[in-house]
Amino acid sequence: MTNERKTLEQAVRERRSTPSFDGEAIPAADLRQILDAGLRAPSGYNMQPWRFIVVQHPEQRRRIRAASYNQAKVEEASAIVVACGDRDGWRRDLEEMLRMGRAGGMPESYAAQAAANVPGYLSGFSDDQMKGWLNKQVTIATTTMLWMAEVMGYDTAILEGFEQQRICETLRLPMSYWVVSLLAIGHLKGADKFDGGRFDTSHTLFGEEFGKPLKLG
Ligand SMILES: Cc1cc2nc3c(=O)[nH]c(=O)nc-3n(C[C@H](O)[C@H](O)[C@H](O)COP(=O)(O)O)c2cc1C
């Protein structure tokens, strides 16, 4: 199947959370492009605490479905990207982050500050704070994958309906991993989801301070 490419504008306008997928495999080069896009996302201090488990094997997709309240789309999708954060990643990755940064022109003053600030900031986190931090970082990368897949003509669905412990066990994740979401990628089968609509902007957009309507132009 040749995918119809979309502009980002078109993808943003047309995207729906895909209700059902046809299961046709994604070419490896396309999947690579989608994943690479996510790995280029920004992250706090460039710590990249995300870890992605890509599940394509039908048997493993079936297991993930069982751990996701039996949501059929999880098994039907061509690939499920299980988006995780590593609570301990920064402990091991700080040095490499600094090495890469220096290779890319990071000033020594910035490196010294990051070397002190990253442990100072993250080591004081409670588990809940760490999960909040990971949710933020990992979601930016996952959403970047979502949009890359959409502009490449794939259909997507992001899911939070899964059992944390069961996903961890199914994928044999290290204890320090926290599962943030599942990103299902493939091709829509049947009718697309209804358009749920969006709240009036008076409810969600403000200008300059809370409660003031945003005036554009
Ligand atoms: C973080 C997140 C988790 C979601 N989890 C699920 C899910 O587990 N199952 C599901 O069917 N849809 C899930 N959705 C899809 C939402 O229901 C959907 O985005 C919303 O109804 C708006 O519809 P639209 O995405 O088609 O615009 C999730 C969406 C987000 C952003």
Side-chain angles (χ1 to χ4, degrees):
M1 183 189 293
T2 317
N3 291 351
E4 186 204 331
R5 294 241 165 194
K6 295 178 179 176
T7 63
L8 182 57
E9 192 185 358
Q10 192 185 1
V12 168
R13 203 172 46 239
E14 296 175 357
R15 183 208 58 80
R16 291 272 67 84
S17 286
T18 305
S20 190
F21 292 94
D22 70 6
E24 195 189 320
I26 301 181
D30 284 4
L31 194 50
R32 165 65 63 190
Q33 192 175 343
I34 292 165
L35 297 168
D36 279 351
L39 300 179
R40 290 179 183 279
S43 60
Y45 278 109
N46 197 26
M47 285 311 304
Q48 308 163 56
W50 46 65
R51 308 287 184 261
F52 297 99
I53 319 293
V54 181
V55 176
Q56 298 182 84
H57 196 282
E59 200 48 34
Q60 194 72 328
R61 280 170 13 207
R62 194 181 56 71
R63 292 193 197 100
I64 300 288
R65 172 182 178 168
S68 306
Y69 304 106
N70 199 31
Q71 297 193 68
K73 65 175 99 173
V74 174
E75 186 177 355
E76 294 168 356
S78 314
I80 298 290
V81 179
V82 181
C84 311
D86 184 354
R87 293 172 177 86
D88 289 339
W90 64 272
R91 296 177 196 276
R92 292 181 293 269
D93 296 341
L94 180 56
E95 217 171 292
E96 175 64 3
M97 181 279 280
L98 293 171
R99 189 200 62 75
M100 289 186 300
R102 286 187 174 110
M106 179 190 283
E108 251 339 288
S109 56
Y110 182 105
Q113 210 175 46
N117 287 358
V118 170
Y121 179 48
L122 297 178
S123 66
F125 276 5
S126 66
D127 193 52
D128 277 351
Q129 284 174 316
M130 180 52 79
K131 285 174 186 165
W133 187 74
L134 291 173
N135 285 344
K136 184 164 52 181
Q137 315 294 334
V138 174
T139 296
I140 292 169
T142 310
T143 311
T144 306
M145 291 180 191
L146 179 152
W147 288 121
M148 181 56 88
E150 290 280 343
V151 299
M152 290 171 71
Y154 288 98
D155 299 303
T156 63
I158 198 158
L159 297 105
E160 62 185 344
F162 57 84
E163 294 173 72
Q164 180 77 217
Q165 196 54 39
R166 280 183 77 176
I167 297 281
C168 289
E169 286 165 13
T170 304
L171 300 180
R172 302 175 198 277
L173 299 179
M175 293 293 282
S176 60
Y177 278 34
W178 165 249
V179 184
V180 175
S181 61
L182 312 181
L183 174 63
I185 307 169
H187 286 291
L188 170 71
K189 183 182 73 186
D192 209 347
K193 183 177 159 287
F194 61 90
D195 179 351
R198 292 299 183 264
F199 296 128
D200 189 89
T201 55
S202 64
H203 192 50
T204 52
L205 276 183
F206 305 101
E208 313 309 337
E209 65 178 49
F210 170 72
K212 280 196 177 168
L214 175 65
K215 293 199 179 79
L216 293 175

